[in-house]
Amino acid sequence: MSTDVLEEPPFICRIQTPILLAILLLVLLAVSSPFASLAQTITEMTIKIVVVVGLYIFIGNSGILSFGQTSFMSIGAYGFAWISCCTLPALKPFSFPGLPIFLQETAFPSPVGILAAAAIAGSVALTAGSILMRLSGTAASIATFALLAGQYALFKNWTDVTGGTASISNVPVFMGPVVGMIMAIAAIIIAWMHQQSRFGLMLRAARDEQTASKASGVNVWAVRTIAFTLSGLIVGVGGAMQAGFLGIVTVDSFYLGITFLTLAMLIVGGTGSLSGAVVGVIALTAITELLRRFETGLSIGDVTVALPRGFQEVGLGITMILILLFRPTGIMRGREITLLKAEGEPNR
């Protein structure tokens, strides 16, 4: 009598996805490096990767569509400004008169600002998640949108601490393609580690069959709160990167526009896999950049082809419609990028 024993896949098979995603990003960096005009595009793409990977940590693993993660991006951006602003230190008391005196008089280095932004965003995410994660389905999605709207209204009117609707300038600029790529790869590794951990496995079990997972002893509230907190922390880092790229922070930059753009990137790539989160950003960045160049005018011989202004948004809308029609589960269809297969693993 023989007994079949399920063996755990080799370690190299389990870690190949983050390695291949990192190689893909490094190849994009190497290919684009000779073209100075693409430096800004690549930097913006790495920021979006960090944010969308942060969204995936919660949305992809829990199955709950959250509109509130952008609020943590805003908190991260302002947190970075509170800690590391300003390039002209004398301006800080005028920009943030409501901050504690020691913060008004001190501008910490950018790495400290990034860590502080992550800590602030993660702390707020933990507090909010511990309350909101008692909800499920549509109720949870609506509650996260209420979180976004509430945070936006607070920062828009908290003038002594956020400057209100005014732009906060003189924020230290540290972002570039290389720094952005390093941080994007780090976000991918963190998301993969959570995905492979017991918390990630229990969260996906609750996503697929909540009743059965509860019966198996899974604390659904706890695993959702952990993912929500980690997602908020990563998205907060994305906000700090955005502030360190533009050198300006304004509350209107972190509301509905960036919310729906990042959600579109996740949906286009596929919410069911980490690879989908990354591929979705790359695909929509490429489409957006192509349409932007057509908007400014593309010369073909003696003829200049130019699309109407605002066609980028139209193009993104058409792309989403086509993806939802022909690939409802996204470009990656919930699968990860792999080359090696474990012994006995079926072909797909």
Side-chain angles (χ1 to χ4, degrees):
M1 182 176 179
S2 62
T3 303
D4 294 330
V5 179
L6 294 177
E7 296 183 357
E8 187 177 8
F11 182 68
I12 187 62
C13 291
R14 289 186 284 121
I15 67 168
Q16 61 179 314
T17 294
I19 292 175
L20 292 174
L21 290 175
I23 292 173
L24 172 62
L25 295 182
L26 291 174
V27 169
L28 288 176
L29 178 63
V31 170
S32 63
S33 58
F35 306 97
S37 60
L38 291 178
Q40 178 177 335
T41 301
I42 294 296
T43 305
E44 290 178 334
M45 184 191 73
T46 59
I47 296 171
K48 296 299 191 304
I49 288 175
V50 171
V51 174
V52 176
V53 165
L55 294 180
Y56 164 77
I57 290 174
F58 177 70
I59 297 174
N61 289 301
S62 71
I64 297 174
L65 182 62
S66 173
F67 298 98
Q69 306 311 100
T70 306
S71 61
F72 305 121
M73 190 179 182
S74 178
I75 292 169
Y78 276 96
F80 178 78
W82 294 332
I83 300 300
S84 296
C85 185
C86 295
T87 52
L88 297 175
L91 296 177
K92 195 170 187 180
F94 296 98
S95 299
F96 306 112
L99 288 181
I101 297 299
F102 79 95
L103 284 180
Q104 292 186 32
E105 297 176 346
T106 308
F108 292 92
S110 294
V112 177
I114 296 171
L115 294 175
I120 296 170
S123 298
V124 175
L126 175 60
T127 303
S130 62
I131 300 170
L132 300 182
M133 292 305 102
R134 300 185 184 278
L135 302 172
S136 297
T138 305
S141 297
I142 294 173
T144 59
F145 185 81
L147 172 66
L148 173 64
Q151 179 272 327
Y152 173 76
L154 174 64
F155 276 34
K156 193 172 183 178
N157 293 282
W158 200 7
T159 54
D160 286 348
V161 176
T162 65
T165 56
S167 298
I168 304 300
S169 56
N170 291 292
V171 177
V173 175
F174 67 90
M175 280 295 297
V178 175
V179 174
M181 203 63 72
I182 292 172
M183 298 183 76
I185 291 173
I188 290 170
I189 293 172
I190 292 171
W192 174 82
M193 291 175 65
H194 171 264
Q195 178 175 287
Q196 297 297 315
S197 70
R198 64 190 185 96
F199 301 108
L201 294 173
M202 288 189 292
L203 182 59
R204 290 197 297 281
R207 175 197 66 189
D208 297 335
E209 187 49 69
Q210 184 171 331
T211 302
S213 62
K214 284 182 176 180
S216 301
V218 175
N219 187 332
V220 177
W221 169 80
V223 294
R224 283 181 179 174
T225 301
I226 290 170
F228 194 83
T229 302
L230 182 59
S231 172
L233 188 151
I234 297 298
V235 174
V237 171
M241 293 169 67
Q242 180 82 348
F245 172 62
L246 298 176
I248 297 175
V249 178
T250 178
V251 67
D252 289 327
S253 299
F254 305 101
Y255 197 38
L256 297 181
I258 190 68
T259 296
F260 291 117
L261 176 60
T262 51
L263 284 174
M265 288 176 167
L266 180 60
I267 292 169
V268 166
T271 60
S273 68
L274 176 59
S275 301
V278 177
V279 170
V281 176
I282 295 173
L284 285 195
T285 298
I287 293 171
T288 302
E289 178 65 15
L290 182 62
L291 292 176
R292 184 186 67 81
R293 292 182 180 273
F294 271 108
E295 282 185 8
T296 57
L298 187 64
S299 297
I300 304 176
D302 297 331
V303 179
T304 300
V305 179
L307 294 173
R309 294 289 180 182
F311 200 81
Q312 290 184 51
E313 288 74 13
V314 177
L316 290 177
I318 293 173
T319 301
M320 282 200 65
I321 291 172
L322 293 175
I323 290 293
L324 292 174
L325 282 174
F326 298 105
R327 285 211 169 185
T329 54
I331 294 173
M332 296 303 298
R333 294 182 174 178
R335 301 174 182 174
E336 300 289 1
I337 294 177
T338 57
L339 289 178
L340 303 175
K341 292 186 178 180
E343 185 177 352
E345 183 180 348
N347 293 323
R348 296 185 181 183

